[in-house]
């Protein structure tokens, strides 16, 4: 048995560790797991603690009730529009990719924009047939970020991935499953149990071997991703700063 660590129930991101499994629960009910400065700071802190832990072998990440993660706040989007920040300032878009342990995203609830992309960087993604998933960037008139132009076609196939990014529409997990998603999609009530069953299958493996395999799988992604991020930032500079329509769309559509 590993060292057991209990979660801080007052946190917006909770960490518990038991039997070599780190469970990270995003639980900011007030802001629906959007990227507030407090939420981002806690998420970074939790993964920093995970990196230093002596017995962890696998990480399971999930949200609460009907929400996995809802991405950028309205304030953040307007700050990007005004040129006061870029999405890489958050420093979390690749936090699962950079975690040295294998990560399972249990997307048991709705996931939107950067919140959806965040979960897609996991080594294994489990989604719910009944929940909504959306790369909703273009809904607000600006081009996708968070490395989504790389990770979404990789996970969902080139044709469906491009459709998801161009259309910004909401997809139920069942539709994504029917259209050939390279993720595991099950009934909402089964997402967590499936994720933890997978985690249990990992923990009887040697820790050093799990870490080596994680490095191997992510090496090529880490080589390729920076070029996509660079291009996304260039597109943001164009689409945010040269289109007044973007501000009006953020003001009109955010939260709808």
């Amino acid at each position: 048995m590993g060292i057991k660590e209990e979660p801080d129930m007052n946190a917006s991101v909770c960490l518990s560790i038991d039997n070599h499994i780190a469970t990270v629960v995003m639980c900011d009910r007030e802001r629906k797991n959007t990227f507030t400065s407090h939420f981002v700071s806690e998420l970074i802190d939790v993964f920093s603690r995970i990196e230093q832990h002596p017995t962890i072998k696998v990480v399971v990440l999930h949200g609460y009730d009907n929400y996995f993660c809802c991405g950028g706040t309205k304030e953040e989007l307007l700050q990007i529009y005004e040129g006061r920040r870029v999405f890489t300032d958050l420093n979390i878009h690749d936090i699962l990719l950079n975690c040295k342990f294998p990560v399972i995203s249990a997307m048991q609830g709705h996931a939107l924009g950067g919140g959806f992309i965040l979960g897609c960087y996991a080594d294994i993604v489990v989604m719910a047939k009944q929940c909504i998933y959306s790369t909703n960037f273009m809904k607000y008139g600006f081009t996708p970020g968070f490395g989504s132009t790389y990770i979404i076609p990789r996970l969902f196939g080139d044709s469906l991935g491009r459709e998801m990014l161009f259309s910004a529409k909401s997809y139920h997990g069942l539709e994504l499953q029917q259209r050939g998603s390279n993720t595991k999609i099950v009934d909402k009530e089964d997402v967590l149990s499936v994720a933890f069953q997978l985690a249990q299958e990992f923990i009887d493996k040697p820790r050093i071997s799990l870490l080596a395999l994680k490095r191997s799988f992510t090496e090529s992604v880490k080589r390729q991703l920076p070029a996509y991020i660079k291009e996304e930032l260039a597109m943001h500079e164009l689409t945010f700063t040269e289109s007044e329509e973007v501000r009006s769309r953020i003001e009109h559509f955010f939260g709808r």
Side-chain angles (χ1 to χ4, degrees):
M1 295 291 287
I3 299 170
K4 187 170 183 178
E5 182 174 323
E6 296 296 339
D8 176 0
M9 301 311 295
N10 295 316
S12 60
V13 181
C14 298
L15 170 65
S16 60
I17 300 169
D18 189 23
N19 194 25
H20 307 296
I21 299 173
T23 302
V24 180
V25 185
M26 300 178 290
C27 48
D28 185 353
R29 294 173 180 271
E30 182 179 355
R31 299 297 295 271
K32 296 180 180 177
N33 287 345
T34 51
F35 294 153
T36 63
S37 58
H38 180 69
F39 177 88
V40 168
S41 176
E42 289 201 1
L43 189 64
I44 291 172
D45 177 68
V46 161
F47 273 89
S48 177
R49 289 159 56 196
I50 286 171
E51 289 291 309
Q52 304 303 317
H53 200 276
T55 67
I56 289 171
K57 292 186 176 182
V58 60
V59 179
V60 176
L61 173 71
H62 65 87
Y64 71 91
D65 298 344
N66 290 324
Y67 293 96
F68 176 74
C69 189
C70 294
T73 65
K74 182 178 180 179
E75 295 77 15
E76 178 199 350
L77 297 183
L78 289 173
Q79 286 175 359
I80 295 174
Y81 173 80
E82 293 163 0
R84 291 188 284 143
R85 70 185 309 173
V86 294
F87 70 81
T88 51
D89 291 342
L90 293 175
N91 203 31
I92 60 167
H93 65 280
D94 55 359
I95 198 168
L96 307 190
L97 178 69
N98 288 328
C99 180
K100 68 182 180 183
F101 305 106
V103 180
I104 301 170
S105 276
M107 295 199 215
Q108 81 326 310
H110 309 312
L112 309 175
F116 179 40
I117 308 306
L118 172 73
C120 288
Y121 279 103
D123 301 280
I124 297 177
V125 177
V126 186
M127 302 166 67
K129 293 178 182 179
Q130 299 87 349
C131 290
I132 291 172
Y133 305 97
S134 176
T135 57
N136 61 357
F137 307 96
M138 292 284 278
K139 173 182 176 181
Y140 304 114
F142 59 87
T143 48
F146 251 64
S148 54
T149 55
Y150 174 81
I151 201 67
I152 292 301
R154 179 184 173 92
L155 268 186
F156 297 95
D158 190 66
S159 179
L160 177 56
R162 291 187 186 205
E163 178 188 313
M164 293 169 72
L165 292 167
F166 271 117
S167 71
K169 66 176 278 190
S170 297
Y171 297 81
H172 282 95
L174 179 60
E175 180 180 354
L176 296 175
Q177 181 184 53
Q178 292 170 338
R179 296 186 62 183
S181 167
N182 293 321
T183 62
K184 194 172 188 66
I185 301 175
V186 299
D187 285 330
K188 174 177 166 52
E189 63 187 23
D190 296 328
V191 170
L192 293 183
S193 61
V194 167
F196 281 106
Q197 181 179 359
L198 285 167
Q200 288 291 333
E201 293 172 358
F202 286 19
I203 63 174
D204 69 339
K205 312 305 187 292
R207 190 172 187 260
I208 192 171
S209 299
L210 290 168
L211 269 61
L213 190 55
K214 169 69 183 251
R215 285 195 302 272
S216 176
F217 278 137
T218 57
E219 189 176 63
S220 64
V221 178
K222 290 178 180 179
R223 284 199 309 267
Q224 297 174 66
L225 185 61
Y228 287 83
I229 297 293
K230 182 178 179 180
E231 179 63 23
E232 288 178 1
L233 290 171
M235 288 192 293
H236 273 193
E237 186 173 352
L238 175 67
T239 59
F240 273 103
T241 61
E242 297 192 17
S243 177
E244 185 63 34
E245 182 184 359
V246 171
R247 176 186 283 276
S248 63
R249 291 179 75 93
I250 293 171
E251 296 282 7
H252 179 73
F253 287 115
F254 193 89
R256 297 188 179 187

